[in-house]
Amino acid sequence: EVQLVESGGGLVQAGGSLRLSCAASGFTFDDYAIGWFRQAPGKEREGVSCIRSSDGSTYSADSVKDRFTISSDNAKNTVFLQMNSLKPEDTAVYYCAAAQRDCYYAAVGYDYWGQGTQVTVSS
């Protein structure tokens, strides 16, 4: 059974940091890319960052590029999203998702999804 389990969300003040984790199981981790998406109330789900497990290539949205860092521990089948200098506009439910081989900008390219973790940034 494929599972993606996010953790690490919470409430933080603006300027603070959080580290999200995505633990994957049930598929060959090295064959997939893992992406982070977020969805705020009333807004479309948007891609945040992605890492290709095969070679560690990473991609990030311009809005987070200088503040968020994606990394992976392939031995533990886990991907992390280190979020620094958080802003109230970063408030959203954050999801991790798995796509075969490569990162995709659109959510439709991903095969498996986690249940999400809430991140709330207070001003």
Side-chain angles (χ1 to χ4, degrees):
E1 178 189 6
V2 172
Q3 279 195 315
L4 293 169
V5 180
E6 303 97 335
S7 61
L11 173 63
V12 64
Q13 287 189 329
S17 298
L18 283 174
R19 189 193 197 205
L20 305 184
S21 299
C22 173
S25 61
F27 58 93
T28 305
F29 189 78
D30 290 353
D31 290 344
Y32 280 76
I34 304 295
W36 284 98
F37 287 77
R38 65 186 181 185
Q39 188 164 20
K43 294 189 175 182
E44 297 281 325
R45 188 170 297 191
E46 65 170 341
V48 176
S49 293
C50 183
I51 185 166
R52 195 163 58 199
S53 301
S54 60
D55 64 1
S57 297
T58 63
Y59 307 88
S60 292
D62 288 342
S63 59
V64 306
K65 192 169 292 184
D66 296 329
R67 301 182 294 121
F68 293 6
T69 302
I70 190 170
S71 62
S72 69
D73 183 341
N74 286 23
K76 296 183 178 179
N77 289 2
T78 301
V79 171
F80 305 98
L81 185 67
Q82 178 67 44
M83 306 187 295
N84 299 329
S85 302
L86 282 161
K87 304 175 181 179
E89 52 263 44
D90 294 319
T91 295
V93 178
Y94 283 70
Y95 301 88
C96 66
Q100 283 197 357
R101 289 185 295 278
D102 214 342
C103 290
Y104 299 94
Y105 180 77
V108 69
Y110 292 77
D111 303 303
Y112 308 115
W113 290 83
Q115 82 289 349
T117 186
Q118 177 70 47
V119 171
T120 303
V121 185
S122 64
S123 57

